[in-house]
Amino acid sequence: DYDSWIGQFCAMHGVRFVFTSGDRDLLHLASLKSRLLNTGTRVAVGNQKRLIALMDKASHETLLAGGRWKIPRTLILAGVDSESIQGELGEFPYIVKPRNGASSKDAEVLRSKPQLQSALNRGPDFVIQKFVSGAEYTVDVLSSEDCDHHIVAVRTRDLVLGSHSICTSGVSDPLLISVAKEFAATVRLP
């Protein structure tokens, strides 16, 4: 199995560091962190409990409450109807996306009541929010155990197909980098 294989591979080849290339691998690598450390390999990933909280989009409002970070009202698609959603979120458009995870996989912008009715069938593993238009950014952050944050890359997601960024552009904006570092400190990565 993969878990045994990666430990053996790292030990055999003297791999000192493992970095994930995608957000979907974060939780799995976090679960292997202590096992790999026993082989002499450090895993560049945060604390598993913290990652679970950060990847649960339904908890973002609570996690960031009281700060300067504004998260759109988030509803879990369980036991709600279209009227209550419209009452909470206002006018279309909305975005429905998986409750847990990252990137744009299975996300859909809803612009009409028939689309909303169809989305209600997705169930409790999905959330819905008011769709906020504008530039979408991805920020890659490396954080040390003592929460020293280094912004590695800031990119716009210029073209997304499915869950994959097909085209990105690097951004060198000191203000955006400063805000990203402040945000990482706010959510206490790692």
Side-chain angles (χ1 to χ4, degrees):
D1 76 283
Y2 175 79
D3 295 2
S4 297
W5 174 84
I6 194 167
Q8 292 169 359
F9 181 89
C10 289
M12 184 183 317
H13 296 283
V15 175
R16 293 182 49 212
F17 295 99
V18 173
F19 296 86
T20 179
S21 61
D23 291 341
R24 283 177 241 132
D25 301 326
L26 287 171
L27 287 175
H28 192 198
L29 280 175
S31 73
L32 298 175
K33 197 171 183 175
S34 61
R35 180 189 290 187
L36 290 175
L37 191 55
N38 290 335
T39 69
T41 303
R42 295 188 68 187
V43 179
V45 66
N47 173 286
Q48 189 175 20
K49 287 182 182 178
R50 191 55 150 168
L51 286 171
I52 289 169
L54 287 170
M55 294 180 90
D56 179 5
K57 294 174 187 78
S59 72
H60 288 177
E61 283 181 279
T62 304
L63 185 68
L64 299 169
R68 71 179 257 188
W69 312 106
K70 304 291 187 231
I71 302 298
R73 179 82 175 104
T74 304
L75 304 173
I76 299 171
L77 283 184
V80 294
D81 57 38
S82 60
E83 287 77 27
S84 63
I85 289 171
Q86 289 181 288
E88 287 275 339
L89 302 182
E91 297 298 316
F92 288 96
Y94 309 135
I95 186 165
V96 63
K97 50 191 168 182
R99 178 177 176 166
N100 293 294
S103 72
S104 302
K105 184 171 175 37
D106 295 326
E108 179 184 4
V109 177
L110 310 176
R111 300 185 187 283
S112 67
K113 197 160 186 168
Q115 287 179 314
L116 174 57
Q117 283 301 129
S118 177
L120 289 173
N121 297 326
R122 292 189 179 196
D125 293 333
F126 284 81
V127 296
I128 189 167
Q129 299 173 321
K130 181 78 174 163
F131 178 71
V132 179
S133 62
E136 185 177 344
Y137 296 93
T138 295
V139 180
D140 297 324
V141 180
L142 286 179
S143 300
S144 66
E145 293 293 333
D146 60 352
C147 294
D148 185 21
H149 307 294
H150 300 277
I151 306 303
V152 177
V154 178
R155 299 171 276 140
T156 59
R157 298 181 75 189
D158 302 324
L159 178 60
V160 178
L161 296 176
S163 64
H164 302 287
S165 292
I166 304 301
C167 181
T168 65
S169 300
V171 176
S172 181
D173 179 338
L175 178 61
L176 188 57
I177 292 168
S178 171
V179 168
K181 190 170 184 173
E182 182 183 342
F183 183 80
T186 300
V187 297
R188 296 186 310 277
L189 290 173

